[in-house]
Amino acid sequence: MSQEVDLAALILAAGAGTRMKSSLPKVLFELCGRSMLEYVLDAAASLEPTRLVVVVGHKGQEVIDAVENRWSTAQHGLNLNFVWQKEQLGTAHAVMSAKPSLEGFQGDVVILYGDTPLLTGDVLREFYEVHKTLEADLTIMTAFLENPGYYGRIVRDCNQNVKKIVEARDLAPEEMNIKEINAGMYVVKSEILLDLLSRVGNNNAKKEYYLTDIVELAAQRDLKTATYMCQDTFVAEGVNDRYVLSEAESVLRIRILKDLMLSGVTIRDPEHTYVDFGVEVGLDTVIEPGSYLRGKTKIGPGCVVGPMSEIIDSSVGQGSRVWFSVVENSKIGSNVQVGPYSHLRSQTCLEDGVSVGNYAEIKNSTIGKGTKVHHHSYIGDSDVGCDVNIGAGTVTVNYDGARKYRTRIGDGSFIGCNSNLIAPITIGNRAYVAAGSTLTDDVPEDALAIARERQVLKEGWVVKKKQS
Ligand code: UD1
Ligand code: CA
């Protein structure tokens, strides 16, 4: 049994991410709806460290704000702190900047980079177990890559002990064919870390203080360095440019879809289905190609989503269907039909059994049970009752150019085609509105309202015109 020791986790997120060529700090780039940094924070949190520290620098306040808004420390029950690295002088310098946050700490320090979003809690825990089991002073995560590209390489001596890590641009000719790379994840005993860091120099191609240099310093002092070779090479992927970002996002996307499929969701074409991290989908729901489920979306069981639908921050009950449509920040009940070609905008609530179809748009409205809204209608800022029939081309005229007003439509009423309901207006229960009406006044319940010109009929008019 390995002994329990205190654990601190440091995440380095101060770099500019120059190769991303962006005004956004690199660690805030998103994959499947979340920033890279949030994934790394999740992995770190799964170790339940007593201190969790993020080193920020380039656009650091933006990074802090993003984490505080989106990543809940309360949920993880952790003590999260930010420290500043004012100048980005390299990864060792970044860890040095975090020294004050390790004041009085004794134990193991896990160091991670904020640009490795494919790292999982499972892998990280296994890595840490290896460190403890081998009772190493320093453990590094490595991976074997056919094309090691820009990663630092693990140089071993003739006994296979780790001698040093050499950055790609500093490789000697005889080191060029090494395929074991540095994944950028380390566990070091705290007292050793601080001692080794103080000896790191910047005599290299980039004139930076490399954290990787602690490996050679450890070897020189006969400290015990262990390695953990990660079998899933994607885990080691460090995102430095937008091409790798897209590769990493594909891996994450397939991970998310696979989890859903194994939990009982049918995904017809995973290559063309996009589901954000954290989206929930119920049993036996089918997701058709070209569909996007984003943000805090929750789909119930037995639904069909797609083809070609985008659902953002919305919930859908059971047995509903959304096809060729866009749904934003809305709530859809059970056995509801949306589409084809409909747009539910913010704050729309469709109760059970509602049907919204061809080219209808709804915004900031509640639509009661069993009501039908089809064919080119616009319902905005409205409270529509149950079992209402909204005829083709109905428009709630909710905006006078300055203010918005509400429309109320009672249960069981019938709104004829091409009606304009000029808000504020109330249509009573079971009322009828004649087709083509432009209503400016309320309609009491059980009444018929007709608000249009009477038809004029001129018998034989065409014949007379031709004779004249
Ligand atoms: C680094 C490693 C390399 C490894 C690779 C794995 C070093 C010197 N090299 O290279 O061996 O194979 O990661 O992905 O460590 N950062 C700071 N402050 C700084 C510099 C960087 O906080 O002054 C942060 C960055 O925000 C980033 C992380 O450290 O999240 C790694 O920096 P990056 O420049 O991406 O290092 P690589 O060149 O990828
Ligand atoms: Ca990197």
Side-chain angles (χ1 to χ4, degrees), residues 19 26 113 115 150 238-240:
R19 290 164 279 186
K26 175 166 74 173
Y113 295 159
D115 65 353
Y150 49 67
V239 176
N240 293 332

Side-chain angles (χ1 to χ4, degrees), residues 195-215:
D195 179 39
L196 295 179
L197 277 177
S198 65
R199 292 158 206 272
V200 171
N202 66 348
N203 184 19
N204 51 52
K206 280 177 89 180
K207 295 279 165 270
E208 283 188 357
Y209 295 87
Y210 289 163
L211 178 59
T212 43
D213 284 357
I214 64 171
V215 175

Side-chain angles (χ1 to χ4, degrees), residues 12-15 19 26 85 88-91 94 113-115 151-152 167 182-183 210 212 238 240:
L12 309 192
R19 290 164 279 186
K26 175 166 74 173
Q85 181 196 17
Q88 286 73 61
L89 302 179
T91 42
Y113 295 159
D115 65 353
Y151 290 95
E167 288 308 293
N182 169 31
Y210 289 163
T212 43
N240 293 332

Side-chain angles (χ1 to χ4, degrees), residues 343-364:
H343 187 183
L344 305 187
R345 290 164 55 200
S346 198
Q347 308 298 332
T348 291
C349 173
L350 307 184
E351 291 180 356
D352 297 348
V354 163
S355 168
V356 172
N358 309 267
Y359 306 99
E361 172 180 338
I362 305 183
K363 183 212 82 174
N364 189 25

Side-chain angles (χ1 to χ4, degrees), residues 288-291 304-310 321-327 338-343 358-359:
E288 301 278 5
S291 295
V304 178
V305 175
M308 310 294 264
S309 289
E310 181 165 25
R321 180 182 192 197
V322 179
W323 52 317
F324 294 99
S325 292
V326 176
V327 176
V338 177
Y341 313 111
S342 295
H343 187 183
N358 309 267
Y359 306 99

